[in-house]
Amino acid sequence: MTCRTGTALALLLSLCVAPVATAATAASGATVDASSAAPTANTAYLAEFGAALQQADRGDSLGASIVIDRLLADPRLVDIDVENRSHVWASAAMVAGAQKQGAVALQRLQQALAVNPRNAYARLRLAWFQMVEQQPEAAADSVVRAIADSDGAPDMSPQMVWQLDTQLKHQPTKRLAVLQGLFDSEWKIEGIEPAELWVVLATLQAEAGQGDKVAATLERIDAPIPLVRLRADKRFDPYLRRDDPRHDPVAAARRHIDQLRVDTMLAPGLNETAVELSSALMVAGELQDVVGMTEALAVAATEATVAPPGKGRYVAWMLDIRSRALRRLGKPDDALAAQLLALRMTDPQGDTVSQNLNLASLYVALDRPLKAREVMQSVGEDMSAYGASTQALIELRAALQLKDAAAAQRARERLLANRALTPDHYREGLLVDHRMDEAAASLLEQLADPMERGTALFDLQDVRRAPVLPADADLHASWEQLKQRADVQAAVNRVGRIDTYPLFAN
């Protein structure tokens, strides 16, 4: 959820701090037998270095940086075994990153890999720097190498994976290599299959003529929305039996919820499983269950100023889902209150962009453009292409509501600039402007594009919708008109189909 709008820089800076404890464990000797494999001097060095990393983990990265600079110049470092010496350099790089010393961090990562080219931890951190520098091909190569050098699934956050996947959108060979590597290593998001990514992988496999691999990929897709995507696309007809309950999105929704209920009993608390369960209930239309599940959380958030340490992302997204459920129940005021809570509970060191944009989007749907603009002033400009186009779409709608022609034109230009990466937002902007022929042409382009087709077909499915808010009525009517055009219907019939499902889209 968060990975598509969050800023690359914020994600990188959070990455520079988050792994310090893990790196400290490795660098301080937990991975070696200090009593027999390492001389006393080496053990002492690693203990000093580990203490410096723990200092950084407590928030004093400046003090830790001073100590680490001294330890990197210490002659004892050359006597440390290769694996731990490489960890020292990689961990030192992360502390430099926390100090916003990008060039120093990069040099240290390169040194870590020069010492031990199979240091997957360092290789993945190098990939992050390459992503921030807009070098997705190099980042993809680094990730593939790191996956090969990892024991089991690689240590990659969902934000990193989604960000890289977006950057590789027009690099199908590299994108396929990354996703296939993640799939083969059984990478998951806190134990949950990233089914949406596996749909992308299956599409890449089909386009690459790897039909023998498609079936294996589909075996790990058992969530309703990904199955809707697959059933809409005729390319997957040879692999899916439409009358098989295994491939029925409604049956999959029930299976998904039942499994997640079990998982939440086994791992209670604020975690990815709880977020996924609330989302699954909403997709299935069990909106009152979503509200009930998040009621105590909303009450606690109302009385708090910040989320519990390390739980901000989970709290924020569960409240965001609560907001959407309330909106679908026809309670826009309650939805707004929940969305405001979601923003307040967001981890300030993590992805704050998503909740700001979701709140601003709700404000424009409620015909409150000035409030939307006020919220977007907190967003800044450092965000992904998806986030930038989301912001531009909100800005366009707010500008039109305020009759601000100059601002509307600026928003159109931003949507056009991001058209290649976010064609669905560009198309929606055309609908907002009532440029129906251009919107149809954009949709037809998506349907003809092998990698955009799935998203376009999914958007066209007949699914449950929230009650239309007053400021959304015009846009909703234009979309329904677009769907009924003869040229659109003909294009859909060539490559896919439109079905009806008693499910919400997200």
Side-chain angles (χ1 to χ4, degrees):
M1 303 171 203
T2 63
C3 45
R4 295 190 172 221
T5 55
T7 69
L9 180 58
L11 292 172
L12 176 61
L13 293 177
S14 66
L15 182 80
C16 288
V17 176
V20 162
T22 301
T25 302
S28 60
T31 59
V32 298
D33 183 354
S35 64
S36 59
T40 303
N42 291 3
T43 305
Y45 179 94
L46 291 170
E48 291 174 43
F49 193 87
L53 291 181
Q54 290 166 4
Q55 181 179 356
D57 199 37
R58 292 191 297 269
D60 183 14
S61 60
L62 176 58
S65 182
I66 294 170
V67 175
I68 285 172
D69 286 347
R70 174 177 58 79
L71 288 170
L72 291 178
D74 192 314
R76 291 177 295 172
L77 178 57
V78 299
D79 295 324
I80 304 296
D81 65 279
V82 166
E83 183 176 347
N84 277 295
R85 196 175 350 132
S86 181
H87 275 306
V88 164
W89 281 106
S91 301
M94 293 301 96
V95 175
Q99 283 289 299
K100 301 183 180 180
Q101 298 173 334
V104 174
L106 179 59
Q107 182 272 326
R108 289 176 177 177
L109 285 173
Q110 291 169 337
Q111 182 62 32
L113 291 167
V115 172
N116 179 13
R118 298 197 61 186
N119 186 336
Y121 174 91
R123 188 77 63 182
L124 287 173
R125 275 64 196 172
L126 175 62
W128 260 117
F129 278 91
Q130 292 165 331
M131 290 167 61
V132 171
E133 294 299 321
Q134 298 299 311
Q135 300 171 4
E137 296 92 342
D141 291 340
S142 294
V143 167
V144 170
R145 174 69 184 273
I147 292 172
D149 290 335
S150 296
D151 294 326
D155 178 23
M156 295 180 68
S157 69
Q159 293 94 329
M160 179 176 185
V161 172
W162 279 109
Q163 188 88 8
L164 180 57
D165 186 68
T166 300
Q167 289 186 357
L168 292 173
K169 192 169 185 178
H170 300 295
Q171 302 288 337
T173 302
K174 299 284 188 184
R175 193 181 189 188
L176 175 57
V178 169
L179 292 181
Q180 189 68 60
L182 292 170
F183 183 86
D184 291 343
S185 66
E186 299 191 2
W187 181 84
K188 297 178 182 179
I189 303 173
E190 295 186 25
I192 297 171
E193 290 280 7
E196 294 282 356
L197 278 176
W198 300 158
V199 172
V200 176
L201 174 59
T203 305
L204 289 163
Q205 291 167 333
E207 287 302 310
Q210 299 177 359
D212 56 323
K213 293 185 177 181
V214 173
T217 301
L218 299 191
E219 280 298 311
R220 283 174 48 190
I221 298 175
D222 190 28
I225 296 306
L227 284 172
V228 170
R229 291 180 181 274
L230 294 169
R231 287 166 62 97
D233 193 329
K234 289 181 178 179
R235 285 175 293 186
F236 298 107
D237 286 357
Y239 310 99
L240 297 174
R241 283 183 50 196
R242 295 177 62 80
D243 60 349
D244 186 344
R246 166 70 179 79
H247 302 139
D248 178 0
V250 178
R254 176 47 51 197
R255 289 193 301 271
H256 195 45
I257 290 171
D258 291 345
Q259 182 59 56
L260 288 167
R261 287 192 190 279
V262 172
D263 292 343
T264 55
M265 287 189 289
L266 296 174
L270 296 170
N271 51 36
E272 190 69 30
T273 304
V275 175
E276 186 71 11
L277 175 57
S278 60
S279 179
L281 289 168
M282 186 175 62
V283 167
E286 299 181 18
L287 305 178
Q288 290 291 357
D289 283 358
V290 175
V291 175
M293 176 183 177
T294 57
E295 182 66 29
L297 184 63
V299 172
T302 301
E303 299 171 352
T305 55
V306 295
K311 301 296 183 180
R313 186 173 75 86
Y314 307 126
V315 174
W317 278 110
M318 290 184 71
L319 291 171
D320 180 278
I321 293 166
R322 174 184 175 86
S323 174
R324 281 180 276 164
L326 288 165
R327 179 174 174 178
R328 289 165 182 179
L329 286 167
K331 300 179 179 180
D333 291 340
D334 292 343
L336 179 58
Q339 197 68 60
L340 286 164
L341 281 178
L343 178 58
R344 195 168 84 193
M345 292 294 104
T346 298
D347 181 359
Q349 299 302 317
D351 172 22
T352 61
V353 175
S354 295
Q355 302 304 338
N356 272 296
L357 292 181
N358 289 350
L359 177 59
S361 179
L362 181 54
Y363 273 131
V364 292
L366 292 169
D367 201 12
R368 298 175 65 180
L370 290 176
K371 292 296 293 184
R373 282 185 166 181
E374 180 183 324
V375 171
M376 286 191 292
Q377 288 176 356
S378 303
V379 175
E381 297 182 357
D382 180 28
M383 69 185 81
S384 67
Y386 188 91
S389 62
T390 300
Q391 183 183 40
L393 187 59
I394 296 168
E395 288 173 342
L396 175 61
R397 296 187 64 190
L400 292 175
Q401 289 172 4
L402 293 167
K403 297 181 172 53
D404 185 341
Q409 185 56 33
R410 289 194 298 271
R412 293 185 189 103
E413 291 169 0
R414 290 186 70 192
L415 287 167
L416 181 61
N418 286 299
R419 177 182 182 180
L421 287 175
T422 56
D424 48 339
H425 286 157
Y426 175 72
R427 182 218 318 143
E428 188 168 341
L430 295 173
L431 288 174
V432 168
D433 271 338
H434 300 288
R435 295 154 64 183
M436 297 300 294
D437 287 342
E438 291 173 80
S442 178
L443 180 55
L444 295 178
E445 286 179 15
Q446 281 187 272
L447 290 168
D449 185 320
M451 293 309 300
E452 293 294 340
R453 183 179 306 156
T455 298
L457 286 170
F458 176 71
D459 288 347
L460 289 160
Q461 301 305 298
D462 288 325
V463 295
R464 295 178 67 178
R465 307 285 181 186
V468 180
L469 294 174
D472 283 342
D474 219 19
L475 175 60
H476 180 78
S478 294
W479 172 241
E480 292 302 317
Q481 180 184 340
L482 180 65
K483 287 172 61 176
Q484 300 306 317
R485 285 177 57 125
D487 51 354
V488 170
Q489 290 288 321
V492 169
N493 291 334
R494 282 193 294 271
V495 297
R497 59 183 63 84
I498 298 175
D499 290 324
T500 300
Y501 298 99
L503 302 169
F504 284 103
N506 54 53

PDB file of all heavy atoms in Angstrom, residues 282-314:
ATOM      1  N   MET A 282     -12.779  -5.762   3.829  1.00  0.00           N
ATOM      2  CA  MET A 282     -13.342  -4.671   3.051  1.00  0.00           C
ATOM      3  C   MET A 282     -13.600  -5.092   1.611  1.00  0.00           C
ATOM      4  O   MET A 282     -14.651  -4.799   1.043  1.00  0.00           O
ATOM      5  CB  MET A 282     -12.422  -3.452   3.090  1.00  0.00           C
ATOM      6  CG  MET A 282     -13.035  -2.241   2.408  1.00  0.00           C
ATOM      7  SD  MET A 282     -11.996  -0.785   2.579  1.00  0.00           S
ATOM      8  CE  MET A 282     -10.524  -1.331   1.732  1.00  0.00           C
ATOM      9  N   VAL A 283     -12.640  -5.795   1.002  1.00  0.00           N
ATOM     10  CA  VAL A 283     -12.822  -6.264  -0.368  1.00  0.00           C
ATOM     11  C   VAL A 283     -14.050  -7.158  -0.470  1.00  0.00           C
ATOM     12  O   VAL A 283     -14.833  -7.077  -1.430  1.00  0.00           O
ATOM     13  CB  VAL A 283     -11.560  -7.020  -0.840  1.00  0.00           C
ATOM     14  CG1 VAL A 283     -11.842  -7.791  -2.133  1.00  0.00           C
ATOM     15  CG2 VAL A 283     -10.409  -6.043  -1.055  1.00  0.00           C
ATOM     16  N   ALA A 284     -14.266  -8.008   0.533  1.00  0.00           N
ATOM     17  CA  ALA A 284     -15.410  -8.925   0.528  1.00  0.00           C
ATOM     18  C   ALA A 284     -16.725  -8.224   0.839  1.00  0.00           C
ATOM     19  O   ALA A 284     -17.792  -8.849   0.762  1.00  0.00           O
ATOM     20  CB  ALA A 284     -15.170 -10.047   1.526  1.00  0.00           C
ATOM     21  N   GLY A 285     -16.659  -6.964   1.207  1.00  0.00           N
ATOM     22  CA  GLY A 285     -17.878  -6.227   1.509  1.00  0.00           C
ATOM     23  C   GLY A 285     -18.347  -6.366   2.933  1.00  0.00           C
ATOM     24  O   GLY A 285     -19.467  -5.931   3.267  1.00  0.00           O
ATOM     25  N   GLU A 286     -17.528  -6.942   3.794  1.00  0.00           N
ATOM     26  CA  GLU A 286     -17.899  -7.105   5.201  1.00  0.00           C
ATOM     27  C   GLU A 286     -17.480  -5.847   5.970  1.00  0.00           C
ATOM     28  O   GLU A 286     -16.604  -5.863   6.840  1.00  0.00           O
ATOM     29  CB  GLU A 286     -17.264  -8.379   5.754  1.00  0.00           C
ATOM     30  CG  GLU A 286     -17.743  -9.619   5.015  1.00  0.00           C
ATOM     31  CD  GLU A 286     -17.153 -10.917   5.540  1.00  0.00           C
ATOM     32  OE1 GLU A 286     -16.634 -10.924   6.673  1.00  0.00           O
ATOM     33  OE2 GLU A 286     -17.225 -11.926   4.817  1.00  0.00           O
ATOM     34  N   LEU A 287     -18.143  -4.765   5.613  1.00  0.00           N
ATOM     35  CA  LEU A 287     -17.717  -3.442   6.065  1.00  0.00           C
ATOM     36  C   LEU A 287     -17.935  -3.235   7.563  1.00  0.00           C
ATOM     37  O   LEU A 287     -17.114  -2.598   8.235  1.00  0.00           O
ATOM     38  CB  LEU A 287     -18.454  -2.367   5.263  1.00  0.00           C
ATOM     39  CG  LEU A 287     -18.311  -2.476   3.734  1.00  0.00           C
ATOM     40  CD1 LEU A 287     -19.122  -1.389   3.042  1.00  0.00           C
ATOM     41  CD2 LEU A 287     -16.844  -2.383   3.315  1.00  0.00           C
ATOM     42  N   GLN A 288     -19.028  -3.757   8.085  1.00  0.00           N
ATOM     43  CA  GLN A 288     -19.266  -3.615   9.523  1.00  0.00           C
ATOM     44  C   GLN A 288     -18.213  -4.357  10.324  1.00  0.00           C
ATOM     45  O   GLN A 288     -17.824  -3.917  11.418  1.00  0.00           O
ATOM     46  CB  GLN A 288     -20.666  -4.121   9.871  1.00  0.00           C
ATOM     47  CG  GLN A 288     -21.803  -3.245   9.353  1.00  0.00           C
ATOM     48  CD  GLN A 288     -21.872  -1.890  10.058  1.00  0.00           C
ATOM     49  OE1 GLN A 288     -21.101  -1.592  10.982  1.00  0.00           O
ATOM     50  NE2 GLN A 288     -22.782  -1.046   9.618  1.00  0.00           N
ATOM     51  N   ASP A 289     -17.716  -5.478   9.779  1.00  0.00           N
ATOM     52  CA  ASP A 289     -16.651  -6.206  10.462  1.00  0.00           C
ATOM     53  C   ASP A 289     -15.369  -5.380  10.491  1.00  0.00           C
ATOM     54  O   ASP A 289     -14.617  -5.417  11.477  1.00  0.00           O
ATOM     55  CB  ASP A 289     -16.389  -7.544   9.770  1.00  0.00           C
ATOM     56  CG  ASP A 289     -17.446  -8.581  10.109  1.00  0.00           C
ATOM     57  OD1 ASP A 289     -18.349  -8.260  10.899  1.00  0.00           O
ATOM     58  OD2 ASP A 289     -17.371  -9.701   9.576  1.00  0.00           O
ATOM     59  N   VAL A 290     -15.099  -4.644   9.408  1.00  0.00           N
ATOM     60  CA  VAL A 290     -13.929  -3.766   9.381  1.00  0.00           C
ATOM     61  C   VAL A 290     -14.055  -2.701  10.460  1.00  0.00           C
ATOM     62  O   VAL A 290     -13.114  -2.437  11.227  1.00  0.00           O
ATOM     63  CB  VAL A 290     -13.764  -3.104   8.001  1.00  0.00           C
ATOM     64  CG1 VAL A 290     -12.607  -2.110   8.029  1.00  0.00           C
ATOM     65  CG2 VAL A 290     -13.539  -4.139   6.924  1.00  0.00           C
ATOM     66  N   VAL A 291     -15.234  -2.084  10.534  1.00  0.00           N
ATOM     67  CA  VAL A 291     -15.461  -1.034  11.529  1.00  0.00           C
ATOM     68  C   VAL A 291     -15.319  -1.595  12.943  1.00  0.00           C
ATOM     69  O   VAL A 291     -14.672  -1.005  13.811  1.00  0.00           O
ATOM     70  CB  VAL A 291     -16.846  -0.390  11.329  1.00  0.00           C
ATOM     71  CG1 VAL A 291     -17.137   0.611  12.441  1.00  0.00           C
ATOM     72  CG2 VAL A 291     -16.912   0.305   9.971  1.00  0.00           C
ATOM     73  N   GLY A 292     -15.911  -2.769  13.172  1.00  0.00           N
ATOM     74  CA  GLY A 292     -15.809  -3.387  14.487  1.00  0.00           C
ATOM     75  C   GLY A 292     -14.389  -3.760  14.850  1.00  0.00           C
ATOM     76  O   GLY A 292     -13.939  -3.546  15.984  1.00  0.00           O
ATOM     77  N   MET A 293     -13.653  -4.301  13.873  1.00  0.00           N
ATOM     78  CA  MET A 293     -12.275  -4.718  14.108  1.00  0.00           C
ATOM     79  C   MET A 293     -11.373  -3.550  14.473  1.00  0.00           C
ATOM     80  O   MET A 293     -10.428  -3.696  15.249  1.00  0.00           O
ATOM     81  CB  MET A 293     -11.754  -5.424  12.850  1.00  0.00           C
ATOM     82  CG  MET A 293     -10.303  -5.842  12.902  1.00  0.00           C
ATOM     83  SD  MET A 293      -9.787  -6.582  11.321  1.00  0.00           S
ATOM     84  CE  MET A 293      -8.039  -6.886  11.679  1.00  0.00           C
ATOM     85  N   THR A 294     -11.663  -2.385  13.923  1.00  0.00           N
ATOM     86  CA  THR A 294     -10.796  -1.214  14.124  1.00  0.00           C
ATOM     87  C   THR A 294     -11.349  -0.220  15.135  1.00  0.00           C
ATOM     88  O   THR A 294     -10.747   0.832  15.345  1.00  0.00           O
ATOM     89  CB  THR A 294     -10.582  -0.490  12.781  1.00  0.00           C
ATOM     90  OG1 THR A 294     -11.870  -0.118  12.231  1.00  0.00           O
ATOM     91  CG2 THR A 294      -9.859  -1.377  11.784  1.00  0.00           C
ATOM     92  N   GLU A 295     -12.469  -0.547  15.778  1.00  0.00           N
ATOM     93  CA  GLU A 295     -13.105   0.403  16.692  1.00  0.00           C
ATOM     94  C   GLU A 295     -12.204   0.747  17.877  1.00  0.00           C
ATOM     95  O   GLU A 295     -11.988   1.934  18.197  1.00  0.00           O
ATOM     96  CB  GLU A 295     -14.432  -0.167  17.197  1.00  0.00           C
ATOM     97  CG  GLU A 295     -15.195   0.760  18.126  1.00  0.00           C
ATOM     98  CD  GLU A 295     -15.680   2.025  17.431  1.00  0.00           C
ATOM     99  OE1 GLU A 295     -15.931   1.980  16.210  1.00  0.00           O
ATOM    100  OE2 GLU A 295     -15.790   3.070  18.117  1.00  0.00           O
ATOM    101  N   ALA A 296     -11.683  -0.279  18.553  1.00  0.00           N
ATOM    102  CA  ALA A 296     -10.832  -0.024  19.712  1.00  0.00           C
ATOM    103  C   ALA A 296      -9.577   0.748  19.304  1.00  0.00           C
ATOM    104  O   ALA A 296      -9.098   1.622  20.042  1.00  0.00           O
ATOM    105  CB  ALA A 296     -10.450  -1.344  20.376  1.00  0.00           C
ATOM    106  N   LEU A 297      -9.058   0.435  18.121  1.00  0.00           N
ATOM    107  CA  LEU A 297      -7.878   1.139  17.623  1.00  0.00           C
ATOM    108  C   LEU A 297      -8.185   2.612  17.398  1.00  0.00           C
ATOM    109  O   LEU A 297      -7.383   3.490  17.745  1.00  0.00           O
ATOM    110  CB  LEU A 297      -7.404   0.481  16.330  1.00  0.00           C
ATOM    111  CG  LEU A 297      -6.113   1.027  15.704  1.00  0.00           C
ATOM    112  CD1 LEU A 297      -4.947   0.802  16.651  1.00  0.00           C
ATOM    113  CD2 LEU A 297      -5.857   0.344  14.362  1.00  0.00           C
ATOM    114  N   ALA A 298      -9.358   2.897  16.833  1.00  0.00           N
ATOM    115  CA  ALA A 298      -9.743   4.293  16.585  1.00  0.00           C
ATOM    116  C   ALA A 298      -9.907   5.054  17.900  1.00  0.00           C
ATOM    117  O   ALA A 298      -9.499   6.215  18.011  1.00  0.00           O
ATOM    118  CB  ALA A 298     -11.037   4.337  15.775  1.00  0.00           C
ATOM    119  N   VAL A 299     -10.493   4.401  18.898  1.00  0.00           N
ATOM    120  CA  VAL A 299     -10.667   5.052  20.197  1.00  0.00           C
ATOM    121  C   VAL A 299      -9.301   5.369  20.812  1.00  0.00           C
ATOM    122  O   VAL A 299      -9.060   6.470  21.313  1.00  0.00           O
ATOM    123  CB  VAL A 299     -11.495   4.156  21.136  1.00  0.00           C
ATOM    124  CG1 VAL A 299     -11.501   4.730  22.552  1.00  0.00           C
ATOM    125  CG2 VAL A 299     -12.930   4.025  20.623  1.00  0.00           C
ATOM    126  N   ALA A 300      -8.401   4.381  20.761  1.00  0.00           N
ATOM    127  CA  ALA A 300      -7.062   4.589  21.319  1.00  0.00           C
ATOM    128  C   ALA A 300      -6.325   5.690  20.572  1.00  0.00           C
ATOM    129  O   ALA A 300      -5.622   6.518  21.179  1.00  0.00           O
ATOM    130  CB  ALA A 300      -6.271   3.286  21.271  1.00  0.00           C
ATOM    131  N   ALA A 301      -6.467   5.707  19.242  1.00  0.00           N
ATOM    132  CA  ALA A 301      -5.784   6.734  18.446  1.00  0.00           C
ATOM    133  C   ALA A 301      -6.325   8.127  18.739  1.00  0.00           C
ATOM    134  O   ALA A 301      -5.581   9.115  18.715  1.00  0.00           O
ATOM    135  CB  ALA A 301      -5.933   6.408  16.957  1.00  0.00           C
ATOM    136  N   THR A 302      -7.614   8.211  19.030  1.00  0.00           N
ATOM    137  CA  THR A 302      -8.211   9.503  19.356  1.00  0.00           C
ATOM    138  C   THR A 302      -7.588  10.096  20.610  1.00  0.00           C
ATOM    139  O   THR A 302      -7.424  11.317  20.735  1.00  0.00           O
ATOM    140  CB  THR A 302      -9.731   9.343  19.562  1.00  0.00           C
ATOM    141  OG1 THR A 302     -10.310   8.814  18.364  1.00  0.00           O
ATOM    142  CG2 THR A 302     -10.389  10.677  19.870  1.00  0.00           C
ATOM    143  N   GLU A 303      -7.205   9.221  21.540  1.00  0.00           N
ATOM    144  CA  GLU A 303      -6.654   9.672  22.815  1.00  0.00           C
ATOM    145  C   GLU A 303      -5.136   9.786  22.809  1.00  0.00           C
ATOM    146  O   GLU A 303      -4.536  10.231  23.794  1.00  0.00           O
ATOM    147  CB  GLU A 303      -7.101   8.705  23.916  1.00  0.00           C
ATOM    148  CG  GLU A 303      -8.625   8.643  24.071  1.00  0.00           C
ATOM    149  CD  GLU A 303      -9.071   7.532  25.005  1.00  0.00           C
ATOM    150  OE1 GLU A 303      -8.194   6.719  25.401  1.00  0.00           O
ATOM    151  OE2 GLU A 303     -10.275   7.462  25.319  1.00  0.00           O
ATOM    152  N   ALA A 304      -4.505   9.348  21.706  1.00  0.00           N
ATOM    153  CA  ALA A 304      -3.038   9.346  21.635  1.00  0.00           C
ATOM    154  C   ALA A 304      -2.549  10.448  20.697  1.00  0.00           C
ATOM    155  O   ALA A 304      -3.302  10.994  19.891  1.00  0.00           O
ATOM    156  CB  ALA A 304      -2.544   7.994  21.145  1.00  0.00           C
ATOM    157  N   THR A 305      -1.277  10.760  20.833  1.00  0.00           N
ATOM    158  CA  THR A 305      -0.660  11.729  19.917  1.00  0.00           C
ATOM    159  C   THR A 305       0.219  11.049  18.886  1.00  0.00           C
ATOM    160  O   THR A 305       0.406  11.561  17.782  1.00  0.00           O
ATOM    161  CB  THR A 305       0.187  12.750  20.699  1.00  0.00           C
ATOM    162  OG1 THR A 305       1.150  12.044  21.506  1.00  0.00           O
ATOM    163  CG2 THR A 305      -0.690  13.599  21.600  1.00  0.00           C
ATOM    164  N   VAL A 306       0.767   9.881  19.243  1.00  0.00           N
ATOM    165  CA  VAL A 306       1.594   9.112  18.314  1.00  0.00           C
ATOM    166  C   VAL A 306       1.267   7.638  18.487  1.00  0.00           C
ATOM    167  O   VAL A 306       0.728   7.218  19.513  1.00  0.00           O
ATOM    168  CB  VAL A 306       3.108   9.329  18.548  1.00  0.00           C
ATOM    169  CG1 VAL A 306       3.506  10.766  18.256  1.00  0.00           C
ATOM    170  CG2 VAL A 306       3.495   8.946  19.968  1.00  0.00           C
ATOM    171  N   ALA A 307       1.619   6.853  17.470  1.00  0.00           N
ATOM    172  CA  ALA A 307       1.422   5.416  17.534  1.00  0.00           C
ATOM    173  C   ALA A 307       2.503   4.780  18.402  1.00  0.00           C
ATOM    174  O   ALA A 307       3.566   5.377  18.629  1.00  0.00           O
ATOM    175  CB  ALA A 307       1.460   4.821  16.130  1.00  0.00           C
ATOM    176  N   PRO A 308       2.270   3.558  18.903  1.00  0.00           N
ATOM    177  CA  PRO A 308       3.328   2.860  19.643  1.00  0.00           C
ATOM    178  C   PRO A 308       4.578   2.723  18.782  1.00  0.00           C
ATOM    179  O   PRO A 308       4.482   2.628  17.547  1.00  0.00           O
ATOM    180  CB  PRO A 308       2.703   1.485  19.940  1.00  0.00           C
ATOM    181  CG  PRO A 308       1.228   1.709  19.871  1.00  0.00           C
ATOM    182  CD  PRO A 308       1.031   2.766  18.828  1.00  0.00           C
ATOM    183  N   PRO A 309       5.759   2.720  19.382  1.00  0.00           N
ATOM    184  CA  PRO A 309       7.003   2.622  18.606  1.00  0.00           C
ATOM    185  C   PRO A 309       7.002   1.431  17.657  1.00  0.00           C
ATOM    186  O   PRO A 309       6.674   0.313  18.055  1.00  0.00           O
ATOM    187  CB  PRO A 309       8.073   2.464  19.690  1.00  0.00           C
ATOM    188  CG  PRO A 309       7.479   3.102  20.906  1.00  0.00           C
ATOM    189  CD  PRO A 309       6.009   2.815  20.833  1.00  0.00           C
ATOM    190  N   GLY A 310       7.345   1.698  16.403  1.00  0.00           N
ATOM    191  CA  GLY A 310       7.435   0.638  15.406  1.00  0.00           C
ATOM    192  C   GLY A 310       6.111   0.188  14.840  1.00  0.00           C
ATOM    193  O   GLY A 310       6.072  -0.709  13.980  1.00  0.00           O
ATOM    194  N   LYS A 311       5.003   0.779  15.295  1.00  0.00           N
ATOM    195  CA  LYS A 311       3.679   0.318  14.860  1.00  0.00           C
ATOM    196  C   LYS A 311       2.921   1.356  14.034  1.00  0.00           C
ATOM    197  O   LYS A 311       1.781   1.126  13.642  1.00  0.00           O
ATOM    198  CB  LYS A 311       2.828  -0.062  16.083  1.00  0.00           C
ATOM    199  CG  LYS A 311       3.426  -1.169  16.953  1.00  0.00           C
ATOM    200  CD  LYS A 311       3.521  -2.478  16.188  1.00  0.00           C
ATOM    201  CE  LYS A 311       4.059  -3.605  17.077  1.00  0.00           C
ATOM    202  NZ  LYS A 311       4.162  -4.893  16.336  1.00  0.00           N
ATOM    203  N   GLY A 312       3.554   2.491  13.759  1.00  0.00           N
ATOM    204  CA  GLY A 312       2.857   3.572  13.071  1.00  0.00           C
ATOM    205  C   GLY A 312       2.284   3.165  11.726  1.00  0.00           C
ATOM    206  O   GLY A 312       1.151   3.525  11.383  1.00  0.00           O
ATOM    207  N   ARG A 313       3.058   2.415  10.943  1.00  0.00           N
ATOM    208  CA  ARG A 313       2.578   2.031   9.608  1.00  0.00           C
ATOM    209  C   ARG A 313       1.330   1.160   9.708  1.00  0.00           C
ATOM    210  O   ARG A 313       0.364   1.355   8.957  1.00  0.00           O
ATOM    211  CB  ARG A 313       3.681   1.282   8.861  1.00  0.00           C
ATOM    212  CG  ARG A 313       3.324   0.963   7.412  1.00  0.00           C
ATOM    213  CD  ARG A 313       4.512   0.369   6.685  1.00  0.00           C
ATOM    214  NE  ARG A 313       4.754  -1.011   7.084  1.00  0.00           N
ATOM    215  CZ  ARG A 313       4.137  -2.054   6.521  1.00  0.00           C
ATOM    216  NH1 ARG A 313       3.247  -1.860   5.558  1.00  0.00           N
ATOM    217  NH2 ARG A 313       4.413  -3.276   6.898  1.00  0.00           N
ATOM    218  N   TYR A 314       1.340   0.202  10.622  1.00  0.00           N
ATOM    219  CA  TYR A 314       0.190  -0.691  10.759  1.00  0.00           C
ATOM    220  C   TYR A 314      -1.046   0.056  11.253  1.00  0.00           C
ATOM    221  O   TYR A 314      -2.147  -0.122  10.725  1.00  0.00           O
ATOM    222  CB  TYR A 314       0.520  -1.833  11.725  1.00  0.00           C
ATOM    223  CG  TYR A 314       1.775  -2.593  11.388  1.00  0.00           C
ATOM    224  CD1 TYR A 314       2.790  -2.751  12.330  1.00  0.00           C
ATOM    225  CD2 TYR A 314       1.956  -3.152  10.120  1.00  0.00           C
ATOM    226  CE1 TYR A 314       3.952  -3.443  12.023  1.00  0.00           C
ATOM    227  CE2 TYR A 314       3.117  -3.848   9.811  1.00  0.00           C
ATOM    228  CZ  TYR A 314       4.112  -3.982  10.764  1.00  0.00           C
ATOM    229  OH  TYR A 314       5.256  -4.673  10.463  1.00  0.00           O
TER     230      TYR A 314
END
